[in-house]
mmCIF file of all heavy atoms in Angstrom:
data_model
loop_
_atom_site.group_PDB
_atom_site.id
_atom_site.type_symbol
_atom_site.label_atom_id
_atom_site.label_comp_id
_atom_site.label_asym_id
_atom_site.label_seq_id
_atom_site.Cartn_x
_atom_site.Cartn_y
_atom_site.Cartn_z
ATOM 1 N N TRP S 377 -113.303 -98.589 44.713
ATOM 2 C CA TRP S 377 -112.492 -98.819 45.904
ATOM 3 C C TRP S 377 -111.859 -100.214 45.924
ATOM 4 O O TRP S 377 -111.031 -100.496 46.796
ATOM 5 C CB TRP S 377 -113.348 -98.641 47.168
ATOM 6 C CG TRP S 377 -113.762 -97.232 47.402
ATOM 7 C CD1 TRP S 377 -114.960 -96.668 47.084
ATOM 8 C CD2 TRP S 377 -112.972 -96.197 48.006
ATOM 9 N NE1 TRP S 377 -114.978 -95.337 47.443
ATOM 10 C CE2 TRP S 377 -113.770 -95.031 48.013
ATOM 11 C CE3 TRP S 377 -111.687 -96.149 48.533
ATOM 12 C CZ2 TRP S 377 -113.307 -93.819 48.532
ATOM 13 C CZ3 TRP S 377 -111.220 -94.943 49.055
ATOM 14 C CH2 TRP S 377 -112.020 -93.793 49.046
ATOM 15 N N LEU S 378 -112.207 -101.054 44.987
ATOM 16 C CA LEU S 378 -111.771 -102.445 45.040
ATOM 17 C C LEU S 378 -110.344 -102.624 44.533
ATOM 18 O O LEU S 378 -109.849 -101.841 43.715
ATOM 19 C CB LEU S 378 -112.714 -103.319 44.211
ATOM 20 C CG LEU S 378 -114.203 -103.252 44.548
ATOM 21 C CD1 LEU S 378 -114.979 -104.214 43.665
ATOM 22 C CD2 LEU S 378 -114.450 -103.558 46.024
ATOM 23 N N GLU S 379 -109.711 -103.684 45.006
ATOM 24 C CA GLU S 379 -108.447 -104.113 44.442
ATOM 25 C C GLU S 379 -108.731 -104.865 43.146
ATOM 26 O O GLU S 379 -109.820 -105.439 42.975
ATOM 27 C CB GLU S 379 -107.717 -105.047 45.426
ATOM 28 C CG GLU S 379 -107.118 -104.338 46.615
ATOM 29 C CD GLU S 379 -105.998 -103.400 46.215
ATOM 30 O OE1 GLU S 379 -105.077 -103.845 45.507
ATOM 31 O OE2 GLU S 379 -106.050 -102.220 46.603
ATOM 32 N N PRO S 380 -107.801 -104.907 42.179
ATOM 33 C CA PRO S 380 -108.042 -105.638 40.937
ATOM 34 C C PRO S 380 -108.310 -107.111 41.203
ATOM 35 O O PRO S 380 -107.818 -107.683 42.183
ATOM 36 C CB PRO S 380 -106.732 -105.444 40.162
ATOM 37 C CG PRO S 380 -106.111 -104.229 40.747
ATOM 38 C CD PRO S 380 -106.495 -104.219 42.189
ATOM 39 N N VAL S 381 -109.074 -107.737 40.312
ATOM 40 C CA VAL S 381 -109.333 -109.174 40.419
ATOM 41 C C VAL S 381 -108.018 -109.924 40.342
ATOM 42 O O VAL S 381 -107.179 -109.634 39.479
ATOM 43 C CB VAL S 381 -110.279 -109.634 39.288
ATOM 44 C CG1 VAL S 381 -110.396 -111.154 39.277
ATOM 45 C CG2 VAL S 381 -111.649 -108.984 39.444
ATOM 46 N N MET S 382 -107.805 -110.868 41.235
ATOM 47 C CA MET S 382 -106.576 -111.655 41.247
ATOM 48 C C MET S 382 -106.871 -113.095 40.852
ATOM 49 O O MET S 382 -108.038 -113.515 40.836
ATOM 50 C CB MET S 382 -105.935 -111.638 42.628
ATOM 51 C CG MET S 382 -106.758 -112.315 43.708
ATOM 52 S SD MET S 382 -105.890 -112.470 45.294
ATOM 53 C CE MET S 382 -104.711 -113.775 44.919
ATOM 54 N N ASP S 383 -105.830 -113.827 40.541
ATOM 55 C CA ASP S 383 -105.941 -115.254 40.257
ATOM 56 C C ASP S 383 -105.172 -115.993 41.347
ATOM 57 O O ASP S 383 -103.942 -115.907 41.411
ATOM 58 C CB ASP S 383 -105.376 -115.586 38.878
ATOM 59 C CG ASP S 383 -105.659 -117.035 38.454
ATOM 60 O OD1 ASP S 383 -106.017 -117.844 39.337
ATOM 61 O OD2 ASP S 383 -105.499 -117.344 37.261
ATOM 62 N N GLN S 384 -105.887 -116.714 42.181
ATOM 63 C CA GLN S 384 -105.240 -117.425 43.289
ATOM 64 C C GLN S 384 -104.411 -118.601 42.803
ATOM 65 O O GLN S 384 -103.617 -119.153 43.549
ATOM 66 C CB GLN S 384 -106.300 -117.925 44.273
ATOM 67 C CG GLN S 384 -107.181 -119.037 43.707
ATOM 68 C CD GLN S 384 -108.292 -119.428 44.635
ATOM 69 O OE1 GLN S 384 -109.223 -118.657 44.848
ATOM 70 N NE2 GLN S 384 -108.205 -120.633 45.200
ATOM 71 N N SER S 385 -104.606 -119.013 41.557
ATOM 72 C CA SER S 385 -103.899 -120.130 40.947
ATOM 73 C C SER S 385 -104.200 -121.427 41.692
ATOM 74 O O SER S 385 -105.251 -121.564 42.306
ATOM 75 C CB SER S 385 -102.396 -119.823 40.897
ATOM 76 O OG SER S 385 -101.730 -120.757 40.076
ATOM 77 N N ASP S 386 -103.262 -122.386 41.636
ATOM 78 C CA ASP S 386 -103.564 -123.725 42.152
ATOM 79 C C ASP S 386 -103.277 -123.834 43.635
ATOM 80 O O ASP S 386 -102.653 -124.779 44.110
ATOM 81 C CB ASP S 386 -102.751 -124.765 41.377
ATOM 82 C CG ASP S 386 -101.256 -124.493 41.436
ATOM 83 O OD1 ASP S 386 -100.872 -123.390 41.878
ATOM 84 O OD2 ASP S 386 -100.477 -125.374 41.041
ATOM 85 N N CYS S 387 -103.749 -122.881 44.394
ATOM 86 C CA CYS S 387 -103.590 -122.857 45.856
ATOM 87 C C CYS S 387 -104.962 -122.591 46.457
ATOM 88 O O CYS S 387 -105.669 -121.687 45.993
ATOM 89 C CB CYS S 387 -102.599 -121.759 46.253
ATOM 90 S SG CYS S 387 -102.483 -121.425 48.036
ATOM 91 N N GLY S 388 -105.352 -123.374 47.439
ATOM 92 C CA GLY S 388 -106.650 -123.173 48.077
ATOM 93 C C GLY S 388 -106.633 -121.998 49.017
ATOM 94 O O GLY S 388 -106.913 -122.131 50.214
ATOM 95 N N SER S 389 -106.310 -120.834 48.501
ATOM 96 C CA SER S 389 -106.103 -119.628 49.315
ATOM 97 C C SER S 389 -107.253 -118.654 49.239
ATOM 98 O O SER S 389 -107.112 -117.499 49.663
ATOM 99 C CB SER S 389 -104.828 -118.916 48.850
ATOM 100 O OG SER S 389 -104.941 -118.543 47.486
ATOM 101 N N CYS S 390 -108.416 -119.096 48.718
ATOM 102 C CA CYS S 390 -109.528 -118.156 48.533
ATOM 103 C C CYS S 390 -109.918 -117.477 49.838
ATOM 104 O O CYS S 390 -110.285 -116.303 49.872
ATOM 105 C CB CYS S 390 -110.720 -118.868 47.931
ATOM 106 S SG CYS S 390 -111.365 -120.229 48.939
ATOM 107 N N TYR S 391 -109.845 -118.207 50.956
ATOM 108 C CA TYR S 391 -110.219 -117.639 52.250
ATOM 109 C C TYR S 391 -109.269 -116.519 52.653
ATOM 110 O O TYR S 391 -109.675 -115.524 53.273
ATOM 111 C CB TYR S 391 -110.213 -118.744 53.313
ATOM 112 C CG TYR S 391 -108.847 -119.298 53.625
ATOM 113 C CD1 TYR S 391 -108.116 -118.844 54.723
ATOM 114 C CD2 TYR S 391 -108.248 -120.254 52.801
ATOM 115 C CE1 TYR S 391 -106.838 -119.342 54.984
ATOM 116 C CE2 TYR S 391 -106.989 -120.758 53.066
ATOM 117 C CZ TYR S 391 -106.280 -120.285 54.157
ATOM 118 O OH TYR S 391 -105.030 -120.781 54.415
ATOM 119 N N ALA S 392 -107.978 -116.657 52.295
ATOM 120 C CA ALA S 392 -106.990 -115.623 52.607
ATOM 121 C C ALA S 392 -107.137 -114.436 51.663
ATOM 122 O O ALA S 392 -107.102 -113.288 52.077
ATOM 123 C CB ALA S 392 -105.582 -116.202 52.512
ATOM 124 N N ALA S 393 -107.318 -114.738 50.367
ATOM 125 C CA ALA S 393 -107.442 -113.674 49.376
ATOM 126 C C ALA S 393 -108.672 -112.804 49.657
ATOM 127 O O ALA S 393 -108.585 -111.572 49.669
ATOM 128 C CB ALA S 393 -107.547 -114.283 47.971
ATOM 129 N N SER S 394 -109.813 -113.435 49.907
ATOM 130 C CA SER S 394 -111.041 -112.664 50.137
ATOM 131 C C SER S 394 -110.954 -111.862 51.432
ATOM 132 O O SER S 394 -111.395 -110.700 51.487
ATOM 133 C CB SER S 394 -112.254 -113.601 50.168
ATOM 134 O OG SER S 394 -112.109 -114.594 51.171
ATOM 135 N N THR S 395 -110.359 -112.442 52.469
ATOM 136 C CA THR S 395 -110.271 -111.730 53.762
ATOM 137 C C THR S 395 -109.336 -110.548 53.684
ATOM 138 O O THR S 395 -109.652 -109.444 54.147
ATOM 139 C CB THR S 395 -109.813 -112.684 54.870
ATOM 140 O OG1 THR S 395 -110.691 -113.802 54.935
ATOM 141 C CG2 THR S 395 -109.797 -111.981 56.219
ATOM 142 N N MET S 396 -108.163 -110.750 53.120
ATOM 143 C CA MET S 396 -107.207 -109.641 53.059
ATOM 144 C C MET S 396 -107.667 -108.563 52.084
ATOM 145 O O MET S 396 -107.383 -107.375 52.292
ATOM 146 C CB MET S 396 -105.810 -110.163 52.685
ATOM 147 C CG MET S 396 -105.282 -111.246 53.642
ATOM 148 S SD MET S 396 -105.567 -110.893 55.404
ATOM 149 C CE MET S 396 -104.425 -109.542 55.661
ATOM 150 N N ARG S 397 -108.373 -108.957 51.043
ATOM 151 C CA ARG S 397 -108.970 -107.949 50.148
ATOM 152 C C ARG S 397 -110.051 -107.161 50.897
ATOM 153 O O ARG S 397 -110.201 -105.955 50.709
ATOM 154 C CB ARG S 397 -109.520 -108.607 48.895
ATOM 155 C CG ARG S 397 -108.425 -109.063 47.915
ATOM 156 C CD ARG S 397 -107.680 -107.842 47.395
ATOM 157 N NE ARG S 397 -106.492 -108.144 46.618
ATOM 158 C CZ ARG S 397 -106.472 -108.399 45.308
ATOM 159 N NH1 ARG S 397 -107.594 -108.461 44.647
ATOM 160 N NH2 ARG S 397 -105.341 -108.598 44.699
ATOM 161 N N MET S 398 -110.841 -107.851 51.704
ATOM 162 C CA MET S 398 -111.855 -107.170 52.517
ATOM 163 C C MET S 398 -111.206 -106.145 53.433
ATOM 164 O O MET S 398 -111.633 -104.982 53.507
ATOM 165 C CB MET S 398 -112.642 -108.200 53.322
ATOM 166 C CG MET S 398 -113.733 -107.612 54.223
ATOM 167 S SD MET S 398 -113.207 -107.382 55.931
ATOM 168 C CE MET S 398 -113.013 -109.078 56.473
ATOM 169 N N LEU S 399 -110.145 -106.548 54.128
ATOM 170 C CA LEU S 399 -109.466 -105.628 55.039
ATOM 171 C C LEU S 399 -108.780 -104.499 54.272
ATOM 172 O O LEU S 399 -108.777 -103.334 54.731
ATOM 173 C CB LEU S 399 -108.438 -106.400 55.861
ATOM 174 C CG LEU S 399 -109.003 -107.430 56.857
ATOM 175 C CD1 LEU S 399 -107.872 -108.253 57.477
ATOM 176 C CD2 LEU S 399 -109.812 -106.735 57.957
ATOM 177 N N SER S 400 -108.230 -104.800 53.116
ATOM 178 C CA SER S 400 -107.546 -103.766 52.298
ATOM 179 C C SER S 400 -108.534 -102.705 51.839
ATOM 180 O O SER S 400 -108.267 -101.501 51.946
ATOM 181 C CB SER S 400 -106.858 -104.412 51.088
ATOM 182 O OG SER S 400 -105.827 -105.273 51.493
ATOM 183 N N VAL S 401 -109.664 -103.124 51.322
ATOM 184 C CA VAL S 401 -110.651 -102.165 50.811
ATOM 185 C C VAL S 401 -111.252 -101.363 51.951
ATOM 186 O O VAL S 401 -111.436 -100.141 51.837
ATOM 187 C CB VAL S 401 -111.743 -102.902 50.002
ATOM 188 C CG1 VAL S 401 -112.816 -101.911 49.561
ATOM 189 C CG2 VAL S 401 -111.135 -103.594 48.797
ATOM 190 N N ARG S 402 -111.557 -102.005 53.055
ATOM 191 C CA ARG S 402 -112.124 -101.274 54.195
ATOM 192 C C ARG S 402 -111.138 -100.230 54.719
ATOM 193 O O ARG S 402 -111.526 -99.145 55.153
ATOM 194 C CB ARG S 402 -112.517 -102.258 55.298
ATOM 195 C CG ARG S 402 -113.801 -103.006 54.982
ATOM 196 C CD ARG S 402 -114.209 -103.974 56.059
ATOM 197 N NE ARG S 402 -115.597 -104.378 55.837
ATOM 198 C CZ ARG S 402 -116.535 -104.429 56.768
ATOM 199 N NH1 ARG S 402 -116.242 -104.123 58.011
ATOM 200 N NH2 ARG S 402 -117.768 -104.786 56.463
ATOM 201 N N HIS S 403 -109.857 -100.575 54.696
ATOM 202 C CA HIS S 403 -108.847 -99.610 55.129
ATOM 203 C C HIS S 403 -108.801 -98.418 54.185
ATOM 204 O O HIS S 403 -108.736 -97.260 54.634
ATOM 205 C CB HIS S 403 -107.479 -100.310 55.174
ATOM 206 C CG HIS S 403 -106.357 -99.408 55.563
ATOM 207 N ND1 HIS S 403 -106.295 -98.771 56.781
ATOM 208 C CD2 HIS S 403 -105.223 -99.034 54.881
ATOM 209 C CE1 HIS S 403 -105.183 -98.047 56.850
ATOM 210 N NE2 HIS S 403 -104.532 -98.190 55.705
ATOM 211 N N LYS S 404 -108.854 -98.657 52.873
ATOM 212 C CA LYS S 404 -108.826 -97.580 51.902
ATOM 213 C C LYS S 404 -110.045 -96.654 52.096
ATOM 214 O O LYS S 404 -109.915 -95.432 52.026
ATOM 215 C CB LYS S 404 -108.801 -98.137 50.476
ATOM 216 C CG LYS S 404 -107.511 -98.834 50.136
ATOM 217 C CD LYS S 404 -107.323 -99.000 48.634
ATOM 218 C CE LYS S 404 -108.354 -99.887 47.993
ATOM 219 N NZ LYS S 404 -108.085 -100.083 46.545
ATOM 220 N N ILE S 405 -111.209 -97.262 52.313
ATOM 221 C CA ILE S 405 -112.428 -96.477 52.492
ATOM 222 C C ILE S 405 -112.320 -95.621 53.739
ATOM 223 O O ILE S 405 -112.657 -94.420 53.744
ATOM 224 C CB ILE S 405 -113.658 -97.407 52.586
ATOM 225 C CG1 ILE S 405 -113.880 -98.117 51.247
ATOM 226 C CG2 ILE S 405 -114.900 -96.630 52.989
ATOM 227 C CD1 ILE S 405 -114.882 -99.256 51.311
ATOM 228 N N LYS S 406 -111.846 -96.211 54.830
ATOM 229 C CA LYS S 406 -111.720 -95.487 56.100
ATOM 230 C C LYS S 406 -110.719 -94.347 55.984
ATOM 231 O O LYS S 406 -110.939 -93.256 56.522
ATOM 232 C CB LYS S 406 -111.283 -96.462 57.197
ATOM 233 C CG LYS S 406 -111.203 -95.846 58.580
ATOM 234 C CD LYS S 406 -110.825 -96.903 59.603
ATOM 235 C CE LYS S 406 -110.719 -96.311 61.005
ATOM 236 N NZ LYS S 406 -110.367 -97.353 62.015
ATOM 237 N N MET S 407 -109.604 -94.597 55.273
ATOM 238 C CA MET S 407 -108.574 -93.579 55.114
ATOM 239 C C MET S 407 -108.902 -92.580 54.003
ATOM 240 O O MET S 407 -108.174 -91.602 53.819
ATOM 241 C CB MET S 407 -107.226 -94.248 54.810
ATOM 242 C CG MET S 407 -106.756 -95.234 55.882
ATOM 243 S SD MET S 407 -106.489 -94.448 57.484
ATOM 244 C CE MET S 407 -105.071 -93.416 57.107
ATOM 245 N N LYS S 408 -109.953 -92.874 53.229
ATOM 246 C CA LYS S 408 -110.332 -92.049 52.074
ATOM 247 C C LYS S 408 -109.169 -91.921 51.104
ATOM 248 O O LYS S 408 -108.879 -90.845 50.569
ATOM 249 C CB LYS S 408 -110.813 -90.669 52.542
ATOM 250 C CG LYS S 408 -112.038 -90.723 53.406
ATOM 251 C CD LYS S 408 -112.503 -89.352 53.817
ATOM 252 C CE LYS S 408 -113.806 -89.509 54.582
ATOM 253 N NZ LYS S 408 -114.131 -88.526 55.507
ATOM 254 N N ASN S 409 -108.527 -93.041 50.886
ATOM 255 C CA ASN S 409 -107.367 -93.080 50.008
ATOM 256 C C ASN S 409 -107.420 -94.348 49.175
ATOM 257 O O ASN S 409 -107.005 -95.416 49.618
ATOM 258 C CB ASN S 409 -106.082 -93.040 50.832
ATOM 259 C CG ASN S 409 -104.825 -93.110 49.980
ATOM 260 O OD1 ASN S 409 -104.881 -93.008 48.746
ATOM 261 N ND2 ASN S 409 -103.684 -93.291 50.633
ATOM 262 N N GLU S 410 -107.924 -94.238 47.935
ATOM 263 C CA GLU S 410 -108.075 -95.418 47.084
ATOM 264 C C GLU S 410 -106.738 -95.972 46.609
ATOM 265 O O GLU S 410 -106.669 -97.071 46.045
ATOM 266 C CB GLU S 410 -108.967 -95.118 45.882
ATOM 267 C CG GLU S 410 -108.407 -94.131 44.872
ATOM 268 C CD GLU S 410 -108.779 -92.700 45.171
ATOM 269 O OE1 GLU S 410 -108.970 -92.368 46.350
ATOM 270 O OE2 GLU S 410 -108.868 -91.904 44.212
ATOM 271 N N SER S 411 -105.640 -95.228 46.840
ATOM 272 C CA SER S 411 -104.317 -95.663 46.415
ATOM 273 C C SER S 411 -103.514 -96.337 47.537
ATOM 274 O O SER S 411 -102.363 -96.722 47.322
ATOM 275 C CB SER S 411 -103.515 -94.479 45.881
ATOM 276 O OG SER S 411 -104.173 -93.883 44.762
ATOM 277 N N ALA S 412 -104.105 -96.489 48.714
ATOM 278 C CA ALA S 412 -103.393 -97.100 49.827
ATOM 279 C C ALA S 412 -102.974 -98.523 49.471
ATOM 280 O O ALA S 412 -103.722 -99.242 48.797
ATOM 281 C CB ALA S 412 -104.269 -97.114 51.073
ATOM 282 N N LEU S 413 -101.795 -98.938 49.903
ATOM 283 C CA LEU S 413 -101.303 -100.279 49.603
ATOM 284 C C LEU S 413 -102.203 -101.328 50.244
ATOM 285 O O LEU S 413 -102.667 -101.164 51.372
ATOM 286 C CB LEU S 413 -99.881 -100.457 50.143
ATOM 287 C CG LEU S 413 -98.735 -99.824 49.360
ATOM 288 C CD1 LEU S 413 -97.431 -100.006 50.125
ATOM 289 C CD2 LEU S 413 -98.628 -100.447 47.971
ATOM 290 N N PRO S 414 -102.452 -102.430 49.528
ATOM 291 C CA PRO S 414 -103.222 -103.524 50.126
ATOM 292 C C PRO S 414 -102.381 -104.282 51.136
ATOM 293 O O PRO S 414 -101.150 -104.147 51.164
ATOM 294 C CB PRO S 414 -103.570 -104.401 48.909
ATOM 295 C CG PRO S 414 -102.436 -104.164 47.951
ATOM 296 C CD PRO S 414 -102.059 -102.722 48.128
ATOM 297 N N TRP S 415 -103.032 -105.096 51.958
ATOM 298 C CA TRP S 415 -102.333 -105.911 52.947
ATOM 299 C C TRP S 415 -101.842 -107.214 52.323
ATOM 300 O O TRP S 415 -102.448 -107.737 51.390
ATOM 301 C CB TRP S 415 -103.236 -106.210 54.137
ATOM 302 C CG TRP S 415 -103.795 -104.979 54.781
ATOM 303 C CD1 TRP S 415 -105.110 -104.651 54.939
ATOM 304 C CD2 TRP S 415 -103.055 -103.895 55.360
ATOM 305 N NE1 TRP S 415 -105.233 -103.437 55.551
ATOM 306 C CE2 TRP S 415 -103.997 -102.947 55.833
ATOM 307 C CE3 TRP S 415 -101.689 -103.626 55.509
ATOM 308 C CZ2 TRP S 415 -103.617 -101.762 56.452
ATOM 309 C CZ3 TRP S 415 -101.308 -102.433 56.139
ATOM 310 C CH2 TRP S 415 -102.257 -101.526 56.597
ATOM 311 N N SER S 416 -100.768 -107.716 52.846
ATOM 312 C CA SER S 416 -100.194 -108.958 52.342
ATOM 313 C C SER S 416 -101.131 -110.140 52.576
ATOM 314 O O SER S 416 -101.637 -110.336 53.694
ATOM 315 C CB SER S 416 -98.862 -109.238 53.028
ATOM 316 O OG SER S 416 -98.391 -110.533 52.722
ATOM 317 N N ILE S 417 -101.367 -110.907 51.537
ATOM 318 C CA ILE S 417 -102.124 -112.160 51.639
ATOM 319 C C ILE S 417 -101.200 -113.269 52.119
ATOM 320 O O ILE S 417 -101.584 -114.114 52.941
ATOM 321 C CB ILE S 417 -102.737 -112.533 50.279
ATOM 322 C CG1 ILE S 417 -103.755 -111.464 49.833
ATOM 323 C CG2 ILE S 417 -103.380 -113.916 50.330
ATOM 324 C CD1 ILE S 417 -104.226 -111.638 48.405
ATOM 325 N N ASN S 418 -99.978 -113.255 51.650
ATOM 326 C CA ASN S 418 -99.070 -114.366 51.951
ATOM 327 C C ASN S 418 -98.637 -114.436 53.401
ATOM 328 O O ASN S 418 -98.331 -115.528 53.912
ATOM 329 C CB ASN S 418 -97.838 -114.292 51.044
ATOM 330 C CG ASN S 418 -97.984 -115.193 49.831
ATOM 331 O OD1 ASN S 418 -99.079 -115.330 49.299
ATOM 332 N ND2 ASN S 418 -96.896 -115.799 49.404
ATOM 333 N N MET S 419 -98.584 -113.284 54.103
ATOM 334 C CA MET S 419 -98.122 -113.382 55.480
ATOM 335 C C MET S 419 -99.049 -114.238 56.334
ATOM 336 O O MET S 419 -98.619 -115.218 56.937
ATOM 337 C CB MET S 419 -97.912 -112.018 56.120
ATOM 338 C CG MET S 419 -97.241 -112.157 57.498
ATOM 339 S SD MET S 419 -96.927 -110.628 58.398
ATOM 340 C CE MET S 419 -98.528 -110.329 59.156
ATOM 341 N N PRO S 420 -100.344 -113.919 56.422
ATOM 342 C CA PRO S 420 -101.202 -114.799 57.219
ATOM 343 C C PRO S 420 -101.378 -116.183 56.587
ATOM 344 O O PRO S 420 -101.571 -117.169 57.316
ATOM 345 C CB PRO S 420 -102.527 -114.037 57.281
ATOM 346 C CG PRO S 420 -102.503 -113.118 56.122
ATOM 347 C CD PRO S 420 -101.075 -112.747 55.916
ATOM 348 N N LEU S 421 -101.274 -116.265 55.247
ATOM 349 C CA LEU S 421 -101.457 -117.551 54.562
ATOM 350 C C LEU S 421 -100.362 -118.550 54.943
ATOM 351 O O LEU S 421 -100.654 -119.715 55.212
ATOM 352 C CB LEU S 421 -101.468 -117.328 53.052
ATOM 353 C CG LEU S 421 -101.595 -118.561 52.166
ATOM 354 C CD1 LEU S 421 -102.946 -119.235 52.359
ATOM 355 C CD2 LEU S 421 -101.402 -118.176 50.695
ATOM 356 N N PHE S 422 -99.108 -118.095 54.977
ATOM 357 C CA PHE S 422 -97.996 -119.002 55.214
ATOM 358 C C PHE S 422 -97.359 -118.854 56.593
ATOM 359 O O PHE S 422 -96.554 -119.698 56.979
ATOM 360 C CB PHE S 422 -96.931 -118.830 54.133
ATOM 361 C CG PHE S 422 -97.376 -119.310 52.781
ATOM 362 C CD1 PHE S 422 -97.637 -118.412 51.753
ATOM 363 C CD2 PHE S 422 -97.559 -120.659 52.545
ATOM 364 C CE1 PHE S 422 -98.061 -118.853 50.503
ATOM 365 C CE2 PHE S 422 -97.984 -121.114 51.299
ATOM 366 C CZ PHE S 422 -98.236 -120.214 50.276
ATOM 367 N N CYS S 423 -97.700 -117.800 57.303
ATOM 368 C CA CYS S 423 -97.139 -117.613 58.650
ATOM 369 C C CYS S 423 -98.137 -117.934 59.751
ATOM 370 O O CYS S 423 -97.748 -118.124 60.901
ATOM 371 C CB CYS S 423 -96.648 -116.189 58.846
ATOM 372 S SG CYS S 423 -95.385 -115.639 57.674
#
């Protein structure tokens, strides 16, 4: 059910990456759809 491992690169965005991945996976599990699109990390990160 997990999203692929990502590389956050030289940005201290681990808190955003881990949270949005958590929400993405939980949504897929709830919807019973492992192909559901993940949520954007950049929107809450930069907005």
Side-chain angles (χ1 to χ4, degrees):
W377 291 98
L378 305 182
E379 286 294 308
V381 172
M382 65 173 287
D383 188 345
Q384 69 185 69
S385 192
D386 56 349
C387 171
S389 60
C390 60
Y391 67 98
S394 58
T395 304
M396 303 317 290
R397 286 295 171 86
M398 180 263 292
L399 293 172
S400 295
V401 176
R402 285 180 165 226
H403 178 61
K404 291 198 296 183
I405 294 168
K406 184 177 179 179
M407 301 298 292
K408 298 182 175 154
N409 178 10
E410 67 270 29
S411 300
L413 283 174
W415 304 121
S416 170
I417 297 170
N418 264 36
M419 188 180 82
L421 178 66
F422 291 110
C423 301

